[in-house]
Amino acid sequence: SQQGEEDPQALSIQEGENATMNCSYKTSINNLQWYRQNSGRGLVHLILIRSNEREKHSGRLRVTLDTSKKSSSLLITASRAADTASYFCATAWNDMRFGAGTRLTVKP
Amino acid sequence: ETGVTQSPTHLIKTRGQQVTLRCSSQSGHNTVSWYQQALGQGPQFIFQYYREEENGRGNFPPRFSGLQFPNYSSELNVNALELDDSALYLCASSLRTGAYEQYFGPGTRLTVT
């Protein structure tokens, strides 16, 4: 069964704008990870945030984690057309459980 | 460094048949996980193998089975195929067991008719 739930399901923005995606989950975690998937291909790991961390940055990506609310957010700043993809959060305990994803479209 | 590879890329099978999908892990990775991704959904965890032993399983029936070999390549076998088994099957390798950063292959698209 899937664990995380991403919100929104779909997001369409203009190039240069910021994109924010949210993930809610239900059980305890060791860490939470975000992945990107282009057009039904393999997933690419973006960032991992541990359960004792609150915020993490990687390039144009910023991830926050609130374990008390069981939620995380992924912010992509200054988006580009190449960021168009599906984004998944995955909650990690003994294994990883993925949500249904947010489909991001960045228009040139 | 070679990434994760999967074969075949696409496969069409008939209901009731059996299928074997193959995965070659990234160099140095001793853990492999398999996922099923239906259209428009996120990947669902099938099972994980560590050093040739199953190390965790998701909510999939026994007709989904796997193998990991000494060179850390692996197979996913599905018996008695059903129409709902049509999906993208992804394998992912990692340096450690459990839930750490995973490196995904491009997937095998299985269609059951």
Side-chain angles (χ1 to χ4, degrees):
Chain A
S1 61
Q2 299 194 300
Q3 163 72 299
E5 230 177 83
E6 287 91 343
D7 170 60
Q9 290 184 334
L11 181 60
S12 182
I13 59 175
Q14 295 294 136
E15 218 168 21
E17 294 181 337
N18 295 341
T20 299
M21 289 159 265
N22 302 297
C23 171
S24 59
Y25 59 93
K26 295 177 182 175
T27 63
S28 299
I29 61 171
N30 281 326
N31 64 69
L32 186 144
Q33 302 175 37
W34 286 89
Y35 287 80
R36 184 186 74 219
Q37 184 178 40
N38 290 85
S39 301
R41 298 173 61 85
L43 281 73
V44 174
H45 181 267
L46 294 176
I47 196 163
L48 180 155
I49 185 165
R50 293 182 171 79
S51 59
N52 61 353
E53 296 176 312
R54 292 295 167 259
E55 187 171 313
K56 203 160 181 182
H57 296 254
S58 176
R60 294 185 294 114
L61 305 180
R62 173 180 169 253
V63 168
T64 61
L65 178 64
D66 186 336
T67 52
S68 66
K69 295 181 180 177
K70 290 187 164 54
S71 68
S72 173
S73 68
L74 170 67
L75 168 68
I76 304 174
T77 59
S79 62
R80 306 165 182 167
D83 294 328
T84 294
S86 292
Y87 291 81
F88 296 91
C89 70
T91 53
W93 185 246
N94 291 320
D95 51 57
M96 292 210 312
R97 306 293 169 125
F98 287 80
T102 292
R103 174 70 191 168
L104 173 66
T105 302
V106 182
K107 300 174 185 176
Chain B
E1 186 179 87
T2 308
V4 179
T5 60
Q6 291 185 245
S7 62
T9 306
H10 296 90
L11 201 52
I12 299 174
K13 288 286 189 177
T14 302
R15 190 171 48 184
Q17 286 186 318
Q18 179 265 342
V19 69
T20 297
L21 309 182
R22 293 179 173 83
C23 172
S24 180
S25 296
Q26 184 154 322
S27 177
H29 289 188
N30 58 18
T31 302
V32 66
S33 301
W34 284 90
Y35 296 86
Q36 179 195 67
Q37 186 178 23
L39 205 59
Q41 299 296 315
Q44 294 223 27
F45 174 70
I46 303 175
F47 44 56
Q48 182 181 85
Y49 276 80
Y50 170 66
R51 292 187 176 178
E52 304 174 57
E53 297 286 333
E54 189 178 289
N55 186 50
R57 188 178 184 94
N59 190 26
F60 280 81
R63 60 189 184 85
F64 286 78
S65 63
L67 282 173
Q68 188 184 31
F69 301 101
N71 66 354
Y72 301 134
S73 64
S74 68
E75 290 181 352
L76 164 65
N77 298 290
V78 187
N79 293 323
L81 284 167
E82 301 176 359
L83 296 179
D84 285 349
D85 295 334
S86 295
L88 181 68
Y89 288 85
L90 297 160
C91 81
S93 70
S94 56
L95 280 169
R96 291 186 272 182
T97 60
Y100 293 92
E101 179 179 343
Q102 298 195 351
Y103 295 79
F104 281 81
T108 293
R109 174 73 62 187
L110 172 64
T111 303
V112 182
T113 63

